[in-house]
Amino acid sequence: MAVDQPGAPPFHAAMRDESFDAIVVGGGLVGAAIAWGLQRQGLAAVLLDEGDVAFRASRGNFGLVWVQSKGLGAPWYQRWTRASAGAWPGLAAELAERTGAEIGLAQPGGVHLCLGEAEFEERASRMARMQAEAGNAGFDYRMIGAAELREMLPGLGPAVTGASWTPYDGHANPLRLLHALHRAFVAAGGAYVPEAKVTEGEAAPHDFAVLAGGRRFVAPRIVLAAGLGNAALAPLFGLSAPVRPQRGQVLVTERAAELLPMPVTTIRQTQEGSLMMGDSMEEVGFDLRQKPEVMREIARRAVLSFPWIGRLNLVRAWSALRVMAPDGLPIYDQSARYPGAFTANCHSGVTLAGAHAHLLAPMIAAGALDPALDPFTAGRFDVRAAS
Ligand SMILES: Cc1cc2nc3c(=O)[nH]c(=O)nc-3n(C[C@H](O)[C@H](O)[C@H](O)COP(=O)(O)OP(=O)(O)OC[C@H]3O[C@@H](n4cnc5c(N)ncnc54)[C@H](O)[C@@H]3O)c2cc1C
């Protein structure tokens, strides 16, 4: 079966098979974390990656390791995100040890700033519901009033009425994370194949073959982690990945003398001192253009939050496409028709890198997803459509 691609070469029976324990399709943060996780489980994995023409959220994101706003109405997502934040220090230490990479992980807690009383009330209600839904798992948060917040975050603007705070939040350098995952994977014997878009696939239970970059790869396991590319790939393996693009824009300032002691949902300071601001949530399809009106709004809220940001020059701005499921939650699935074929998609691939490398990959290596991940299967969308 072929992915819809005119001119794709035919699936060549005479082509030499390159055999592995696992094929991972997609070398972004999700695929790289899983490939590294499989390799550290002792599997020989190959990581097939399309190349620079692909949409790549992993190279355009904000870098938050963020828990506090995840999972309202879906406490299983809150638990998974918390588990990932908990796994992150181990992942960062391991990657540093194996590759020498300093990913810049800091998890000092984080705040979501509210501009005006209405935003504060709405946030307080949301956080209370999150805590109620968490049940025995607990959910530690505080609503912080303006006076206390000003002591925590010097330079706060008068428009800020308060914030929600949780101890779980943090941030990291997402490009260094991606680089370190790739390096650790290759250093442990993994095979990374760039410019290798999967164009065709053959599936039988625990017996998969794909054509990519003019080569044929075979393995008893395959993990589809191709971001937006999963929508076309999943049906080849009896799976479904109804993901869509959602654009986000990010602004970056010159380095600042001021210090932001902890990340804010839409503002974080890099290790080098720049301020990153963003990000928007725009339903515009596969459109990577930047919009001045959106950039202006991002900057406006940032300057209302911290007026001193208004003195800084912007040095860079970009947009990138998130990988969004219809309900915004991750999709993790194993094919019922072709056991051994898995999908992995999410819109928080930085935050979930710890879980993907240290929790999800061992499940895939063992051949079955934990029942705790049942709510993340794509079957949930069929149920909704039928009801
Ligand atoms: C503006 C913005 C801000 C964000 N901020 C944060 C944040 O603060 N914290 C956070 O946790 N997350 C954030 N995210 C989300 C995060 O970036 C994504 O969840 C993550 O990058 C998704 O990774 P991925 O590997 O699934 O997809 P991608 O990065 O899109 O990678 C997919 C890969 O698959 C490859 N591919 C596609 N099709 C094929 C094929 N047929 N064959 C072979 N390879 C293929 C591509 O080459 C690509 O390398 C943000 C995203 C955006 C856009």
Side-chain angles (χ1 to χ4, degrees), residues 19-347:
S19 296
F20 293 87
D21 296 330
I23 297 167
V24 180
V25 185
L29 281 170
V30 175
I34 294 171
W36 159 239
L38 293 176
Q39 199 70 32
R40 79 193 270 282
Q41 291 289 305
L43 271 67
V46 61
L47 182 56
L48 305 176
D49 199 12
E50 177 175 357
D52 285 339
V53 293
F55 293 103
R56 289 169 146 175
S58 302
R59 294 168 192 231
N61 68 66
F62 200 61
L64 292 178
V65 178
W66 209 246
V67 174
Q68 68 165 283
S69 45
K70 305 280 173 59
L72 181 61
W76 51 93
Y77 182 34
Q78 170 67 210
R79 286 195 291 277
W80 182 240
T81 304
R82 284 259 295 279
S84 192
W88 243 102
L91 174 66
E94 181 180 70
L95 293 176
E97 188 188 317
R98 291 182 178 252
T99 69
E102 171 47 58
I103 297 168
L105 174 69
Q107 292 174 297
V111 290
H112 177 93
L113 299 183
C114 304
L115 302 179
E117 290 305 330
E119 279 190 21
F120 189 80
E121 293 309 318
E122 197 281 325
R123 189 71 183 174
S125 148
R126 180 186 177 93
M127 299 303 277
R129 281 180 286 147
M130 296 267 291
Q131 191 176 56
E133 286 179 4
N136 291 339
F139 179 67
D140 193 5
Y141 84 97
R142 277 201 316 125
M143 293 305 297
I144 300 177
E148 185 182 346
L149 199 59
R150 267 170 238 298
E151 286 178 21
M152 285 169 66
L153 300 173
L156 210 60
V160 179
T161 44
S164 61
W165 166 90
T166 74
Y168 314 115
D169 300 313
H171 56 154
N173 183 319
L175 292 178
R176 290 203 190 140
L177 169 65
L178 183 62
H179 187 222
L181 288 167
H182 277 250
R183 279 182 57 192
F185 172 68
V186 171
Y192 174 65
V193 187
E195 307 299 332
K197 176 173 183 169
V198 171
T199 52
E200 291 185 53
E202 282 177 0
H206 304 292
D207 185 10
F208 303 99
V210 296
L211 191 71
R215 293 159 66 180
R216 185 180 146 104
F217 301 88
V218 299
R221 288 176 200 79
I222 186 164
V223 184
L224 305 179
L228 292 165
N230 263 12
L233 289 171
L236 303 186
F237 301 93
L239 288 156
S240 154
V243 287
R244 69 173 196 281
Q246 185 193 63
R247 189 171 66 198
Q249 298 183 54
V250 176
L251 311 181
V252 185
T253 72
E254 62 187 323
R255 291 170 190 190
E258 290 83 353
L259 285 180
L260 197 58
M262 62 178 64
V264 175
T265 319
T266 54
I267 308 170
R268 78 176 191 93
Q269 189 165 33
T270 67
Q271 267 186 317
E272 294 78 17
S274 296
L275 272 295
M276 291 179 67
M277 299 174 282
D279 46 331
S280 53
M281 295 177 183
E282 303 161 71
E283 300 295 342
V284 292
F286 288 90
D287 178 353
L288 270 173
R289 281 175 298 176
Q290 292 167 265
K291 292 283 170 191
E293 62 272 24
V294 175
M295 297 160 78
R296 208 163 22 240
E297 178 60 14
I298 291 171
R300 187 186 75 82
R301 284 190 69 94
V303 172
L304 278 175
S305 303
F306 297 97
W308 52 268
I309 290 180
R311 294 195 307 272
L312 301 172
N313 288 310
L314 287 182
V315 295
R316 270 201 313 151
W318 66 75
S319 73
L321 299 180
R322 287 187 199 82
V323 182
M324 291 296 281
D327 59 3
L329 270 51
I331 300 174
Y332 305 117
D333 228 338
Q334 173 162 208
S335 174
R337 200 152 132 220
Y338 304 118
F342 298 84
T343 43
N345 275 123
C346 72
H347 78 80

